[in-house]
Amino acid sequence: MEEALSQAGDRDAAGRVIGGPESRQLDLLHRKLRESEERYRMFVEHALDAIWCLETPLPIDLPLPPEEQARRWLRFGRVTECNDAFAQRVGAKSADQVRGLAVSKLTQHWIARPGDTFLRLAESRYTPQDRIAVEVDGEGEERHLRIGLFGVIGPDIIQRIWIVEQDITRQVIEDKELRESRDLYEAVIRTALDGICILDDDLHIVDCNAALEQLLGGTRGELLGLDARELVVVTRRDGLEPYLGALRSAGGWRGRVGVRCLDGSLRDVELSVRHTPTSGGRYYCFAQDVTHEVMAREAERRREAQMAHIARLSTLGEMASGIAHELNQPLAAIVNYATGAARRLRARGEADDELLRAIDQVGNQARRAGGIIQRMRSFAHKGDGGVIRCSLNQIVEETVGFLGLTSAGRRIRVELDLLAEPDEVLADPIRIEQVLVNLIRNAEDALEGMSSERAPRRPRIMIRTAMGPEPGLLEVQVEDEGPGLSPEAMAHLYTPFFTTKPSGLGLGLSISASIVHSHGGRLWVTPAPRTGACFHFTLAVPYSTIAP
């Protein structure tokens, strides 16, 4: 018997064998329960979030109206479990100081102003809830909390609510700062006067502003995704790669580039680029359109060069007038010596006719040279010779002779078709000669390149004098057989400094129009009958020559 009892083991008061299989299973269950409780407590106590449990002394019946359940939570609810993180949040040093506190004692906690928290929980039958709350601590600082609540319910009763609080104050502040930063970015990039765009590491546009849309002549939808290499004009054969390498190493670059717009036009742009390695590499580009500035500076440079050229021409005119004055005396001496030598030879009766003709030719050529120099001096003279009665045909003939247009060997033919008398006009001959010189030179420039030896015939300049379009006027026409004038040239024909010639000043027609206008006439242009252009200007005739 004792041996049997020994084999069966001792029994407890309930009749279970101590040390038997049931006892070992119970010990195992107790050990697992203690381990579970230990893990739970370690998890709760060491969690960074505030975790606490709210209970009522007696269970709350779920069939009660939600308003009554909420009232009981507010009146009878007490903190039964919590961790130190929650205790510190409500102003205590440890969880032991908080356990057992009623809800009404948590004066600085959001639960003291629960609003409809318990009501919503009751209405949802205590399914998990998530909400955001703001509370103010003792120092007046706001604290933003993300709160998770759920109830532990039994059959038709609820006695416990678990609450997890996560402090998201820093996240809220960072989100606010991020929104403000993005709002500021949007305000700056959208309202900036300069074009702004952001490129990815493959140089595709990922963002741009309205100023860049205006600069490139496209909408935002058309620009996003474009390769910047298609827009920037470079002269190097190896493209943008050398510039990009230098930009990445230096972190930024600034300079002037040419940009091709979507419509194919070219713009001069002052470009500033900054490269950052963030987000896989980003290029931040700021583009300022300086096309008008560049054009204005170029026009100013050309104007300065033209004014310098005018100053040189003025100096040259003064030099020509001085040289003509100095040459008049030796030419007059040559004429006198030739005339005296011929007179003496004839008086002696010793010279033959051939020698006398040669001496007479010397005098004639000297007088001719003197006449040419005198006309040069008059043409270069700055003063106003005054309006007089003069022959229009004579002015045309002297101008043609002065320019040497009828000399042999010229590849451009000059033909005259002059009006029969009366051809008198009221004009300043020197200034009208200046107008003719400008028009004839322009006609010669228009025929340049057409007067080669291989051309089937020599191009022609026709100079006519005729009755004017109105009574009391005579008209001069200078017609060429050149390519004619383009619409752009016609629109700016009399604009100062506008020229289609590489070395032109752009002042000839402007000055000529002013001279003709000061004489009471007008200057205009029409297409030539076959090809080329024909310039016309009118001059008034003396009143005595107007037929009654």
Side-chain angles (χ1 to χ4, degrees), residues 350-383:
E350 299 176 356
D352 56 16
D353 293 339
E354 186 177 353
L355 179 59
L356 286 174
R357 282 196 300 271
I359 293 175
D360 288 339
Q361 284 297 324
V362 170
N364 291 336
Q365 292 300 321
R367 279 189 289 271
R368 180 172 177 272
I372 293 173
I373 290 175
Q374 183 60 37
R375 287 198 297 273
M376 289 180 60
R377 184 182 180 190
S378 298
F379 186 75
H381 197 270
K382 293 182 180 179

Side-chain angles (χ1 to χ4, degrees), residues 103-353:
V103 170
S104 58
K105 299 296 184 181
L106 304 176
T107 56
Q108 294 183 359
H109 196 265
W110 64 269
I111 201 70
R113 302 180 303 279
D116 60 350
T117 300
F118 294 119
L119 179 60
R120 284 189 295 172
L121 269 174
E123 290 175 340
S124 68
R125 293 188 64 83
Y126 300 94
T127 58
Q129 302 284 320
D130 188 28
R131 58 166 295 185
I132 301 294
V134 179
E135 65 179 22
V136 181
D137 60 20
E139 299 178 356
E141 296 292 334
E142 283 189 349
R143 179 178 297 166
H144 298 264
L145 303 173
R146 183 185 299 278
I147 302 167
L149 307 96
F150 64 93
V152 180
I153 61 177
D156 294 330
I157 60 170
I158 177 72
Q159 190 174 6
R160 184 178 297 112
I161 297 175
W162 280 97
I163 304 171
V164 179
E165 301 176 2
Q166 181 184 12
D167 191 340
I168 59 171
T169 304
R170 181 181 295 276
Q171 178 183 344
V172 170
I173 294 175
E174 290 177 352
D175 290 345
K176 180 181 178 182
E177 292 175 349
L178 181 61
R179 286 194 302 272
E180 291 176 350
S181 176
R182 176 159 290 278
D183 291 343
L184 178 61
Y185 160 79
E186 292 288 338
V188 169
I189 195 172
R190 300 303 174 207
T191 60
L193 298 178
D194 293 342
I196 301 175
C197 69
I198 302 175
L199 312 178
D200 60 19
D201 207 42
D202 295 326
L203 301 183
H204 292 100
I205 298 177
V206 297
D207 197 7
C208 65
N209 67 345
L212 191 77
E213 296 177 35
Q214 184 177 1
L215 172 63
L216 297 179
T219 64
R220 177 181 174 84
E222 292 173 332
L223 296 179
L224 294 184
L226 276 183
D227 192 334
R229 283 169 288 212
E230 299 177 2
L231 303 174
V232 179
V233 179
V234 293
T235 56
R236 296 179 57 143
R237 293 184 178 178
D238 45 2
L240 286 174
E241 292 307 320
Y243 299 104
L244 295 176
L247 190 156
R248 292 190 193 98
S249 60
W253 179 85
R254 182 171 186 171
R256 184 170 298 168
V257 298
V259 171
R260 189 179 305 279
C261 302
L262 296 190
D263 60 1
S265 61
L266 293 177
R267 311 290 292 178
D268 291 295
V269 171
E270 192 76 27
L271 189 63
S272 178
V273 184
R274 179 67 58 182
H275 179 263
T276 62
T278 57
S279 302
R282 285 288 187 268
Y283 296 91
Y284 297 89
C285 308
F286 300 82
Q288 183 181 13
D289 189 355
V290 294
T291 304
H292 296 298
E293 178 184 343
V294 170
M295 292 174 62
R297 282 204 294 264
E298 180 62 22
E300 182 65 23
R301 186 195 64 78
R302 289 197 302 267
R303 190 173 293 110
E304 291 176 355
Q306 290 162 353
M307 296 307 295
H309 192 180
I310 292 173
R312 291 196 297 272
L313 289 178
S314 177
T315 303
L316 183 61
E318 295 176 357
M319 292 174 60
S321 180
I323 292 173
H325 176 72
E326 295 297 330
L327 288 177
N328 270 334
Q329 294 181 3
L331 288 173
I334 292 173
V335 172
N336 291 335
Y337 279 121
T339 304
R343 187 181 301 116
R344 289 182 182 182
L345 288 174
R346 287 188 179 94
R348 293 176 183 176
E350 299 176 356
D352 56 16
D353 293 339

Side-chain angles (χ1 to χ4, degrees), residues 35-147:
E35 290 176 355
S36 176
E37 291 177 350
E38 184 65 23
R39 285 195 297 269
Y40 151 76
R41 188 161 299 280
M42 290 292 293
F43 169 75
V44 171
E45 291 181 355
H46 293 86
L48 296 178
D49 296 335
I51 301 175
W52 58 293
C53 180
L54 185 65
E55 294 185 10
T56 55
L58 296 175
I60 299 175
D61 295 330
L62 290 178
L64 289 173
E67 293 81 359
E68 176 61 23
Q69 296 182 44
R71 188 188 67 80
R72 293 191 182 189
W73 283 114
L74 288 172
R75 181 177 180 182
F76 302 111
R78 292 179 177 276
V79 178
T80 56
E81 291 288 344
C82 70
N83 59 2
D84 290 342
F86 176 75
Q88 294 169 5
R89 187 158 295 165
V90 297
K93 293 182 178 179
S94 66
D96 293 336
Q97 297 177 350
V98 179
R99 293 188 183 99
L101 285 179
V103 170
S104 58
K105 299 296 184 181
L106 304 176
T107 56
Q108 294 183 359
H109 196 265
W110 64 269
I111 201 70
R113 302 180 303 279
D116 60 350
T117 300
F118 294 119
L119 179 60
R120 284 189 295 172
L121 269 174
E123 290 175 340
S124 68
R125 293 188 64 83
Y126 300 94
T127 58
Q129 302 284 320
D130 188 28
R131 58 166 295 185
I132 301 294
V134 179
E135 65 179 22
V136 181
D137 60 20
E139 299 178 356
E141 296 292 334
E142 283 189 349
R143 179 178 297 166
H144 298 264
L145 303 173
R146 183 185 299 278
I147 302 167

